[in-house]
Amino acid sequence: VFCPRKPHPFGNEYHDICCGISGILFRILIVEGKDKPKDAEKGRFEKFGKTTELLLELCSSIFHTGRVVILDSGFCVLKAIIKLRQYGVFASAVIKKRRYWPSYVKGDLIERKMNERNTGECDGITGKLNNVSYNLFFLKDSKYVMKIMSTYGTLHTSSEQQDTYRITSNGDSVTFKYTECFENHYKYRHAVDDNNNLRHQ
């Protein structure tokens, strides 16, 4: 079944959040367009900006639970995940360059430094914003540098973590273990997509 991006040509588009372990949806919100009534009631988090508002609204049912939310690059806004941390929810988001790098991320410098490393090596930077600590984690992959913005996690690997394999540009095989944030990202990043695919079908 081929289902193009919703809505096409009719239908609705949704934002949703679900449990990566059980697959149960926590929240689903319809995307309201420019034709939204101007006198509609304002959201309780509107003062924080659009991205932060959406993130907080989606996560409101899990506030103060200490859960970890795995976000895609569309939510890579440091102020948003810091605000989420203040509501008792940890998060990590993939860092990607759109037109510019996200605020507080010197992406070009990070890539230059990490390209000198061997495949599988990790590094990180710790910072603080509004008295909340955050991390920028980097992983040298075989063809690119993976970058994650996070309010949890370390550079340590778990003994239970399975080995990951890569083929380098030289044709060599490299074995390494993901650190916590990268492991969680690859393990749970498809949870929402899987729900969306089931609903569309």
Side-chain angles (χ1 to χ4, degrees):
V1 175
F2 172 71
C3 187
R5 179 175 173 82
K6 290 285 187 179
H8 178 81
F10 305 107
N12 295 313
E13 185 177 1
Y14 298 94
H15 294 299
D16 47 338
I17 175 176
C18 76
C19 176
I21 297 172
S22 69
I24 295 171
L25 282 172
F26 287 132
R27 195 88 191 272
I28 183 165
L29 301 172
I30 191 168
V31 178
E32 296 183 272
K34 295 179 180 178
D35 53 351
K36 175 183 176 181
K38 293 183 179 179
D39 59 347
E41 186 179 336
K42 292 187 176 181
R44 53 185 165 160
F45 304 116
E46 191 174 18
K47 60 184 177 182
F48 299 125
K50 287 186 177 181
T51 303
T52 307
E53 178 190 14
L54 175 58
L55 184 58
L56 293 177
E57 195 62 57
L58 283 169
C59 296
S60 59
S61 64
I62 58 170
F63 280 173
H64 309 294
T65 61
R67 291 178 188 262
V68 173
V69 181
I70 307 301
L71 306 166
D72 67 15
S73 58
F75 288 99
C76 186
V77 177
L78 184 57
K79 290 181 179 179
I81 69 169
I82 291 292
K83 182 57 69 175
L84 190 61
R85 177 66 185 86
Q86 291 172 334
Y87 279 94
V89 180
F90 298 93
S92 68
V94 177
I95 300 171
K96 286 186 180 177
K97 184 178 183 179
R98 305 294 185 181
R99 193 171 175 186
Y100 305 101
W101 289 105
S103 298
Y104 309 100
V105 178
K106 296 182 178 179
D108 295 328
L109 178 61
I110 292 166
E111 290 196 343
R112 281 200 302 272
K113 287 187 174 290
M114 289 303 295
N115 280 329
E116 298 172 0
R117 303 290 191 90
N118 295 321
T119 300
E121 286 190 33
C122 288
D123 205 346
I125 298 172
T126 300
K128 194 170 270 194
L129 182 65
N130 298 333
N131 291 321
V132 177
S133 297
Y134 67 90
N135 303 300
L136 303 181
F137 292 123
F138 323 120
L139 167 68
K140 176 64 170 70
D141 213 311
S142 55
K143 296 179 181 178
Y144 58 92
V145 177
M146 177 77 169
K147 296 170 282 295
I148 284 182
M149 178 184 293
S150 177
T151 52
Y152 83 100
T154 68
L155 287 172
H156 298 294
T157 56
S158 167
S159 58
E160 299 174 359
Q161 168 67 10
Q162 294 182 347
D163 289 339
T164 299
Y165 300 91
R166 292 290 188 277
I167 303 297
T168 66
S169 56
N170 299 329
D172 300 326
S173 178
V174 177
T175 303
F176 62 93
K177 293 180 186 294
Y178 287 130
T179 56
E180 186 177 9
C181 286
F182 292 104
E183 177 186 3
N184 286 340
H185 170 75
Y186 286 114
K187 196 172 182 180
Y188 300 118
R189 62 180 174 168
H190 290 302
V192 167
D193 288 340
D194 291 344
N195 265 285
N196 292 341
N197 289 336
L198 288 171
R199 189 172 65 252
H200 289 173
Q201 292 182 42

